[in-house]
Amino acid sequence: MKESIKFVTHDKTYITHKSLTSQSEELLANRFMRIYKSYTIALDKVKSIEGNRIQIHTYTIPIGHNFSKGVKVKILE
């Protein structure tokens, strides 16, 4: 799914035919953040952070090394 994105919500899953980079640029920076080359998250859905992993609902998502510092600062503000 190189030029596709899968959006996972509490109720549904959606697929769009865009790159994650272009879609991430359209999302509100105060509500969403890229945390890994393959993941952008909704900040208000973060349940916990443990090491370099974020828990959202039942999903555990890795935090990329290049994103780690910025993610933790943004979420802990």
Side-chain angles (χ1 to χ4, degrees), residues 19-34:
S19 70
L20 186 56
T21 299
S22 67
Q23 185 64 56
S24 294
E25 291 170 356
E26 294 179 26
L27 296 172
L28 300 173
N30 63 335
R31 296 194 57 214
F32 296 89
M33 183 173 201
R34 189 132 182 210

Side-chain angles (χ1 to χ4, degrees), residues 33-41 49-54 60-72 75:
M33 183 173 201
R34 189 132 182 210
I35 64 163
Y36 196 81
K37 64 181 179 178
S38 303
Y39 297 102
T40 296
I41 61 163
I49 300 175
E50 190 171 323
N52 284 331
R53 300 200 176 274
I54 287 182
T60 301
I61 304 166
I63 301 171
H65 183 270
N66 294 336
F67 300 93
S68 183
K69 185 177 179 180
V71 168
K72 291 175 182 175
I75 290 175

Side-chain angles (χ1 to χ4, degrees), residues 1-5 16-20 22:
M1 290 182 29
K2 184 172 180 157
E3 289 296 318
S4 297
I5 304 170
T16 183
H17 298 287
K18 285 184 154 185
S19 70
L20 186 56
S22 67

